[in-house]
Amino acid sequence: MGAEAPRRSVVPAPTYDAAQLRLSIDALASDTQRLANAGNADAAQIVNALHQRGITISLPEAAAAH
């Protein structure tokens, strides 16, 4: 038997795309929450609409302290 080729761990494109989309959405939601916390009325309206739909935005610990 010959030597086996090393296995490459390749993430399928749809999985990678979904992960990238999730990171983008999380960043957008966090930024919107920060704006709402700073008194931006439009951002607060978006955050409230999301909460009414059962979506909660959690800020990262370091960002929440600022």
Side-chain angles (χ1 to χ4, degrees), residues 19-40:
Q20 290 299 104
L21 178 60
R22 176 64 185 247
L23 289 173
S24 295
I25 291 171
D26 286 348
L28 178 62
S30 294
D31 289 345
T32 303
Q33 182 67 63
R34 281 189 205 97
L35 287 170
N37 291 350
N40 183 298

Side-chain angles (χ1 to χ4, degrees), residues 8-66:
R8 290 189 274 173
S9 62
V10 177
V11 178
T15 301
Y16 177 79
D17 292 344
Q20 290 299 104
L21 178 60
R22 176 64 185 247
L23 289 173
S24 295
I25 291 171
D26 286 348
L28 178 62
S30 294
D31 289 345
T32 303
Q33 182 67 63
R34 281 189 205 97
L35 287 170
N37 291 350
N40 183 298
D42 292 329
Q45 187 176 5
I46 292 168
V47 169
N48 288 335
L50 291 172
H51 283 239
Q52 289 174 356
R53 289 168 177 78
I55 300 169
T56 303
I57 301 170
S58 299
L59 294 176
E61 292 296 323
H66 290 120

